[in-house]
């Protein structure tokens, strides 16, 4: 037998605080039998000695019955809890003495038995924190009592391969009896049966987690998962693997599976001699990064132990590589692409995370051309030729030379010319300037167009020609005024003797030079225009003009 241990020694009789009686035990598992023995200089034949084995602590209830006098008392406690034993010696100034008894629940002790190489067994009770000591029977006739405060395991070396029942009982300090034994069957084996397992799969399962699959773990052998960051050196234990498992999800906030790769191995732990631990194969994860560039996606990764990598895009394999970088130029901007890497070595597979990115284009388109602005009522109407690659237009506006700011946007609604009406009424005597840009299918905004500006005067402006020629040649054939912002008009034409020749209330309608079905004679005429404009102004414009006649 090999062991690292210190013997546990149980105490004898325990004396009461005042030294008047002793008990055989003050702590133990239920059912707990306790015997109290009088050790005072008084005998029951001299004075009454009365016992209460379950005293409630109330001194006012103490009574001395001479007929209950006895040199000792015995009681069995069946329910876990804390109790007091009371001794009362009659005819004394200080008659009472007490002692406290702890009755504990008879829990099964916590321990595990693990196989080691060459018929050795490692009994681990490091997690036992209930009992003060353990009584261990190795199934081959050997019995050891160990303090749990100074020992956490014992190693048994068996002479032959076979089945053995290891029995462990809990013991409290000062107790005479152990509690509730727990048995476990172990089958010892030689070195050939101390099994190595192999990793079948390492898959990145998130920014800080992995799924690791391996051969099913045999019973009674502890296995640990070890990891090394960015290479297969300096392995450290990260977790004890669950018994009989074959898949484990490792989640650790210290991991960064995109920036680093991690190499894993499963180690069969020979607790009796760690120098004889048996590691599995080593399989490394793949740290994958995918970044969009100008009409191409750059895919890079880091790992170790593989000679070839299979790159997939949108679940479909696209190429096998020995390098660790690939530039995908077969992309369209604003389209999503999902990539991952699969690699294999000696039957073990490593799968990276799946990285999804949206392709981009960084090119800046030229500015829209031919932006025009005109008054429409008391607002601004913008027009421009459409741009084939535009998906949305942005309208910028400034006032009186201030900074141009994004003002509105316009979705595509026509494949020819486009127009936009400023939804706000413009203020008079303020110069408004507009600029235009557009966003293309790749999400890029073009440069700004040249400014197109407009100003609304305080009242409508009306302009008249000083002559016209109603000769049918298509040029200047009617007498018309030019104006904007007109709400209502009355337009009249008079000859020089004050005779009314023409009158209309239709905005924008001129005189064609006729009177009573004939072209009026050449000469000087008068016009009168009464106006109400859209700014609320009422005013009159009047003057002279010349009608010229000539043969077409």
């Amino acid at each position: 037998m090999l062991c690292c241990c210190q013997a546990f020694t149980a105490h004898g009789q325990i004396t009461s605080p005042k030294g008047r009686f002793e008990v055989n035990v003050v702590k133990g598992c239920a059912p707990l039998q306790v015997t109290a023995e009088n050790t005072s200089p008084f005998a029951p034949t001299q004075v009454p000695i009365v016992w209460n084995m379950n005293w409630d602590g109330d001194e006012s209830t103490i009574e001395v019955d001479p007929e209950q006098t006895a040199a000792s008392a015995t009681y069995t406690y069946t329910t876990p809890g804390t109790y007091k034993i009371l001794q009362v010696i009659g005819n004394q100034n200080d008659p009472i003495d007490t002692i406290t008894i702890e009755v504990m629940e008879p829990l099964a002790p916590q321990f595990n038995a693990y196989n080691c190489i060459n018929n050795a067994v490692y009994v681990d009770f490091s997690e036992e924190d209930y009992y003060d000591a353990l009584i261990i029977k190795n199934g081959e006739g050997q019995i050891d009592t160990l303090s749990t405060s100074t020992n956490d395991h014992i190693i048994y070396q068996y002479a032959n391969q076979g089945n053995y029942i290891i029995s462990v009982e809990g013991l409290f300090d000062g107790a005479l009896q152990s509690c509730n034994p727990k048995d476990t069957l172990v089958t010892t084996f030689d070195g050939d049966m101390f099994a190595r397992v192999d990793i079948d799969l390492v898959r990145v399962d998130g920014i800080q987690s992995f799924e690791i699959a391996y051969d099913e773990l045999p019973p009674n052998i502890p296995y640990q998962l070890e990891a090394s960051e960015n290479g297969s050196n300096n392995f450290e234990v990260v977790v004890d693997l669950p018994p009989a498992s074959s898949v484990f999800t490792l989640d650790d906030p210290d991991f960064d599976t995109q920036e680093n790769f991690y190499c894993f191995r499963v180690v069969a732990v020979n607790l009796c001699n760690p120098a004889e631990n048996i590691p599995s194969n080593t399989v490394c994860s793949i740290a994958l990064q995918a970044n969009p560039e100008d009409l191409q996606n750059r895919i890079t990764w880091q790992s170790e132990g593989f000679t070839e990598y299979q790159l997939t895009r949108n679940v479909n394999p696209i190429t096998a590589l020995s390098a660790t970088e690939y530039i995908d130029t077969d992309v369209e901007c604003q389209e999503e692409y999902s990539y991952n890497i699969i690699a294999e070595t000696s039957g073990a597979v490593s799968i990276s995370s799946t990285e999804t990115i949206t392709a981009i284009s960084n090119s800046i388109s030229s500015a829209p051309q031919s932006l025009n602005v005109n008054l429409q009522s008391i607002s601004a109407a913008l027009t421009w030729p459409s741009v084939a690659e535009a998906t949305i237009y942005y309208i910028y506006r400034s006032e009186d030379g201030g900074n141009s700011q994004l003002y509105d946007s316009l979705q595509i609604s026509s494949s020819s010319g486009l127009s936009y009406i400023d939804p706000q009424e413009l203020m008079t005597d303020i110069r408004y300037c507009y600029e235009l840009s557009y966003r293309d299918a790749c999400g890029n905004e073009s440069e700004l167009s040249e400014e197109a500006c407009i100003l609304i005067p305080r009242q409508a402006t009306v302009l008249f020609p000083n002559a016209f020629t109603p000769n049918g040649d298509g040029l200047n054939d009617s007498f018309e005024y030019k104006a904007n912002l007109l709400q209502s008009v009355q337009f009249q034409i008079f000859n020089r003797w004050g005779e009314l020749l023409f009158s209309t209330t239709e905005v924008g309608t001129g005189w064609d030079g006729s009177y009573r079905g004939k072209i009026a004679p050449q000469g000087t005429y008068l016009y009168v225009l009464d106006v109400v404009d859209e700014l609320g102004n009422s005013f009159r414009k009047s003057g002279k003009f010349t009608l010229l006649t000539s043969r077409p």
Side-chain angles (χ1 to χ4, degrees):
M1 178 202 69
L2 302 174
C3 70
C4 179
C5 57
Q6 179 176 331
F8 174 83
T9 302
H11 294 283
Q13 294 290 99
I14 298 95
T15 303
S16 65
K18 296 180 181 179
R20 296 176 182 173
F21 69 94
E22 292 179 342
V23 293
N24 59 332
V25 62
V26 293
K27 185 177 182 180
C29 290
L32 180 64
Q33 186 179 73
V34 179
T35 298
E37 297 278 354
N38 176 46
T39 58
S40 72
F42 304 100
T45 56
Q46 299 172 322
V47 295
I49 300 178
V50 179
W51 305 90
N52 185 340
M53 301 298 283
N54 192 6
W55 182 47
D56 62 6
D58 186 358
E59 294 188 10
S60 65
T61 62
I62 296 175
E63 295 182 0
V64 178
D65 185 352
E67 295 184 0
Q68 294 183 346
T69 187
S72 65
T74 299
Y75 187 80
T76 300
Y77 300 91
T78 58
T79 303
T82 301
Y83 303 89
K84 283 185 177 294
I85 295 177
L86 170 70
Q87 180 198 50
V88 182
I89 300 178
N91 302 325
Q92 299 295 311
N93 292 329
D94 182 17
I96 67 174
D97 198 359
T98 65
I99 200 167
T100 300
I101 304 298
E102 289 185 86
V103 181
M104 308 298 292
E105 186 177 352
L107 301 178
Q110 299 296 310
F111 77 97
N112 291 292
Y114 298 106
N115 287 102
C116 297
I117 295 175
N118 298 326
N119 299 324
V121 173
Y122 184 100
V123 182
D124 175 25
F125 47 89
S126 59
E127 296 182 3
E128 174 55 56
D129 58 3
Y130 188 66
Y131 292 104
D132 299 318
L134 298 176
I135 300 174
I136 304 175
K137 301 175 182 178
N138 76 342
E140 204 177 37
Q142 182 172 332
I143 301 175
D144 295 280
T145 302
L146 304 176
S147 168
T148 57
S149 65
T150 56
N151 302 277
D152 61 6
H153 72 278
I154 189 170
I155 298 172
Y156 289 110
Q157 179 67 58
Y158 293 90
N160 301 302
Q161 180 177 332
N163 297 326
Y164 299 90
I165 295 177
I166 294 178
S167 180
V168 180
E169 302 173 28
L171 187 66
F172 291 106
D173 192 4
L176 299 179
Q177 63 202 51
S178 58
C179 305
N180 196 12
K182 176 184 176 182
D183 297 339
T184 189
L185 175 66
V186 296
T187 300
T188 61
F189 51 72
D190 57 26
D192 294 338
M193 296 180 64
F194 193 74
R196 160 183 165 152
V197 302
D198 280 327
I199 295 176
D200 303 316
L201 171 70
V202 171
R203 182 173 66 87
V204 178
D205 199 30
I207 193 64
Q208 59 187 37
S209 61
F210 300 91
E211 179 187 354
I212 301 171
Y214 41 84
D215 299 337
E216 184 173 348
L217 304 183
N220 297 328
I221 298 176
Y223 287 86
Q224 293 175 332
L225 181 65
E226 295 184 346
S228 177
E229 183 177 308
N230 294 328
S232 54
N233 297 316
N234 303 317
F235 279 94
E236 294 183 359
V237 177
V238 291
V239 69
D240 294 324
L241 292 173
S245 64
S246 60
V247 178
F248 186 78
T249 297
L250 178 63
D251 196 328
D252 192 321
D254 292 333
F255 288 159
D256 186 338
T257 62
Q258 287 184 319
E259 296 299 323
N260 303 299
F261 71 90
Y262 300 84
C263 297
F264 296 98
R265 67 185 185 187
V266 174
V267 178
V269 180
N270 180 29
L271 292 172
C272 302
N273 184 3
E276 297 176 337
N277 290 352
I278 301 177
S280 72
N281 58 331
T282 296
V283 182
C284 300
S285 69
I286 302 171
L288 174 65
Q289 300 91 34
N291 296 292
E293 298 176 351
D294 188 14
L295 290 178
Q296 65 181 29
N297 293 335
R298 185 179 297 273
I299 316 302
T300 58
W301 59 94
Q302 298 82 42
S303 190
E304 184 180 289
F306 303 104
T307 58
E308 185 175 272
Y309 300 92
Q310 179 67 57
L311 172 64
T312 70
R313 184 181 75 175
N314 299 340
V315 187
N316 301 311
I318 60 172
T319 186
L321 301 160
S322 58
T324 56
E325 181 178 76
Y326 180 79
I327 297 176
D328 187 3
T329 58
D330 184 20
V331 299
E332 295 183 10
C333 61
Q334 300 302 300
E335 292 290 327
E336 279 194 348
Y337 298 89
S338 297
Y339 300 91
N340 74 342
I341 301 290
I342 302 173
E344 183 175 347
T345 178
S346 302
V349 176
S350 181
I351 304 175
S352 74
S353 62
T354 297
E355 299 299 320
T356 300
I357 58 175
T358 300
I360 63 172
S361 171
N362 296 330
S363 60
I364 304 299
S365 301
S366 59
Q369 302 298 311
S370 304
L371 175 63
N372 293 308
V373 59
N374 295 289
L375 278 175
Q376 180 169 311
S377 182
I378 53 173
S379 189
L382 280 65
T383 59
W384 64 92
S386 66
V387 181
E389 59 267 29
T391 61
I392 187 172
Y393 292 96
Y394 298 109
I395 294 93
Y396 291 79
R397 193 179 82 168
S398 64
E399 299 178 9
D400 276 348
N403 292 330
S404 181
Q405 295 182 348
L406 179 62
Y407 180 64
D408 206 347
S409 61
L410 180 68
Q411 295 286 344
I412 295 295
S413 60
S414 171
S415 60
S416 56
L418 293 174
S419 63
Y420 170 81
I421 306 298
D422 192 330
Q424 293 186 3
E425 293 184 351
L426 304 185
M427 303 296 291
T428 59
D429 291 338
I430 294 179
R431 181 179 173 83
Y432 294 91
C433 291
Y434 297 86
E435 294 174 285
L436 186 69
S437 70
Y438 64 88
R439 186 179 69 193
D440 63 21
C442 294
N444 300 311
E445 185 175 353
S446 73
E447 297 177 347
L448 287 173
S449 70
E450 293 185 358
E451 285 187 333
C453 301
I454 196 167
L455 180 145
I456 298 181
R458 290 188 180 273
Q459 69 175 33
T461 301
V462 183
L463 300 176
F464 288 89
N466 57 15
F468 80 113
T469 57
N471 56 10
D473 64 358
L475 300 173
N476 202 24
D477 283 335
S478 63
F479 181 70
E480 299 175 359
Y481 55 86
K482 301 295 183 182
N484 54 27
L485 304 177
L486 300 187
Q487 180 175 310
S488 64
V489 300
Q490 184 173 10
F491 185 31
Q492 296 175 315
I493 304 295
F494 299 89
N495 62 20
R496 58 184 177 175
W497 296 284
E499 184 180 5
L500 179 64
L501 305 182
F502 172 77
S503 180
T504 183
T505 58
E506 292 185 10
V507 176
T509 299
W511 180 44
D512 63 1
S514 65
Y515 177 64
R516 294 181 180 179
K518 296 180 180 181
I519 296 298
Q522 180 172 298
T524 301
Y525 294 84
L526 302 175
Y527 67 83
V528 176
L529 179 67
D530 291 303
V531 172
V532 178
D533 69 15
E534 293 182 355
L535 302 173
N537 303 307
S538 299
F539 58 92
R540 170 174 285 185
K541 291 283 187 177
S542 62
K544 298 178 181 180
F545 67 96
T546 301
L547 185 154
L548 300 174
T549 59
S550 62
R551 294 186 182 275

